Amino acid sequence: MKNLLRQLTQIPAPSGYEHQIRDFIQSTVAEHADEVRTDALGNLIVRKGSGGKRIMLAAHMDEIGVMVAHIDENGFARFAPIGGVRPAYCLGGRVRFLDGHIGVINAERTPDPAKTPSLDQMFIDLGSPNPGVQVGDVAAFDRSFEDLGERVVSKALDDRIGVAVLIETLRRLKSTPHEVYFVFSAQEEVGVRGATTAAFHIAPDVGIAVDVTGWGDTPKVPPMVDVALGKGPAIKIRDRGMLADPRVIAWMTETAEKNGIPYQREVLLSGSTDARAIQLSRAGVPAGTISIPCRYVHSPSEMVDMRDAEGAVALLVALLGEEVPF
Ligand code: CO
Ligand code: ZN
């Protein structure tokens, strides 16, 4: 799974511009799928199995990034954020445009050098007065994938780790009594937009998102996040956008215990996932999330523990192989 993850993280796919990664995922999943299609918003929808319950799994393909809003005569671009871009993580960073063009982010001199400049005070240095970049072009943050052993570091682990978990689950799922939809969703980072239309179309009986969550195991972080790297996938109880369905939580925790899969219980104070869109689709859908603990979310050096991802795959394969108990 590590090698797949390395490839997935290095493809730039800011929200709304997921075509490169969608093509890559499509070529990877084709041989394992009963049906593959792409919808109008750019979601890649992969079906396996038929009969039983209609189960929708979702992991988002898109990542945070920037969009050029203005370029001055010296080739300095001002930009708008795509998704939850944090100023402190931008300074000194690099961005990669879809055609491979690289820019570096820096900032105007400000009166108080100790303060992090706002995004308005930053610019992308395109390295030339005629950079071949125009207003409206989009770029993703650029940083290499590094293998630290059990842990890996990269940009865009939010949510390429979820994409890798879904692909690996599809590969390992020999048979299922259900009609399972693996949705590689678009535009999650700008407000779960892809999952909204995909859930309406699929009309699932149950929905499960796979996404990253916060962490509580670095120096002086708020102790409210009772989640650590390497202790297993986290079963979400709530986040800011969703109260996970208690029946789904019970199904997940009981299946994990039955199969000896270590897991954590997650109460997240901020953020949300595609499961929110699924839960609120049509007349409502029982939904939950399997989370991969991830440090420094939305920075160019996010960190996850591969054992948590392996646990998430094992849990999904177990869930999809049995009857849904509600
Ligand atoms: Co995110
Ligand atoms: Zn995410």
Side-chain angles (χ1 to χ4, degrees):
M1 191 163 23
K2 229 183 232 176
N3 206 33
L4 171 67
L5 184 60
R6 176 193 302 272
Q7 292 174 285
L8 287 168
T9 58
Q10 294 307 300
I11 301 169
S15 308
Y17 296 83
E18 296 92 354
H19 48 280
Q20 291 180 20
I21 189 144
R22 185 171 55 243
D23 290 348
F24 176 83
I25 298 169
Q26 181 153 6
S27 67
T28 311
V29 299
E31 59 174 312
H32 307 284
D34 292 333
E35 186 191 352
V36 181
R37 62 175 184 273
T38 299
D39 74 5
L41 257 77
N43 297 299
L44 181 68
I45 301 175
V46 177
R47 179 178 61 82
K48 183 165 175 104
S50 54
K53 297 267 190 191
R54 220 196 286 263
I55 302 177
M56 174 174 167
L57 310 178
H60 65 91
M61 296 184 286
D62 63 312
E63 66 193 286
I64 59 167
V66 297
M67 178 180 279
V68 172
H70 170 80
I71 308 176
D72 74 13
E73 61 282 5
N74 298 313
F76 293 96
R78 301 293 178 157
F79 59 94
I82 298 173
V85 173
R86 306 257 301 262
Y89 289 148
C90 288
L91 220 47
R94 299 178 187 180
V95 294
R96 179 182 293 270
F97 288 84
L98 299 183
D99 65 357
H101 200 103
I102 296 287
V104 303
I105 301 185
N106 221 295
E108 303 164 2
R109 288 185 184 217
T110 54
D112 182 358
K115 259 170 93 182
T116 303
S118 67
L119 293 181
D120 294 342
Q121 295 168 312
M122 294 186 193
F123 49 76
I124 302 170
D125 184 343
L126 294 164
S128 149
N130 298 301
V133 170
Q134 60 177 341
V135 168
D137 282 358
V138 297
F141 292 92
D142 188 50
R143 198 69 70 96
S144 62
F145 176 98
E146 300 296 339
D147 183 352
L148 309 183
E150 301 287 9
R151 308 256 163 102
V152 297
V153 173
S154 179
K155 65 95 168 165
L157 287 171
D158 172 12
D159 187 26
R160 304 295 155 74
I161 188 68
V163 169
V165 164
L166 250 55
I167 293 172
E168 198 58 29
T169 300
L170 177 65
R171 278 180 179 160
R172 286 194 214 167
L173 194 66
K174 295 286 168 273
S175 69
T176 172
H178 304 294
E179 187 169 316
V180 186
Y181 291 88
F182 295 77
V183 176
F184 301 93
S185 62
Q187 300 193 32
E188 189 272 354
E189 295 289 0
V190 290
V192 296
R193 295 177 192 171
T196 302
T197 61
F200 184 90
H201 178 78
I202 293 167
D205 299 309
V206 188
I208 299 173
V210 179
D211 206 337
V212 299
T213 188
W215 73 97
D217 58 344
T218 53
K220 292 193 180 174
V221 292
M224 292 296 287
V225 185
D226 205 9
V227 165
L229 265 60
K231 292 190 172 168
I235 293 171
K236 191 185 290 290
I237 315 292
R238 67 85 82 180
D239 59 30
R240 199 172 214 156
M242 179 181 77
L243 299 163
D245 191 295
R247 294 166 294 181
V248 176
I249 298 169
W251 180 37
M252 288 175 175
T253 55
E254 282 159 23
T255 303
E257 275 160 28
K258 230 170 32 198
N259 290 275
I261 302 163
Y263 69 94
Q264 313 180 62
R265 292 168 65 84
E266 173 205 344
V267 172
L268 184 67
L269 300 183
S270 58
S272 201
T273 73
D274 281 341
R276 171 188 165 82
I278 303 172
Q279 188 179 43
L280 298 181
S281 180
R282 292 179 177 253
V285 177
T289 298
I290 297 174
S291 300
I292 310 300
C294 179
R295 288 182 187 160
Y296 326 122
V297 176
H298 287 190
S299 84
S301 296
E302 300 173 329
M303 183 188 293
V304 298
D305 191 306
M306 293 309 291
R307 292 170 296 186
D308 299 333
E310 289 290 345
V313 173
L315 179 54
L316 278 168
V317 169
L319 289 168
L320 298 173
E322 62 176 39
E323 294 302 320
V324 178
F326 53 86

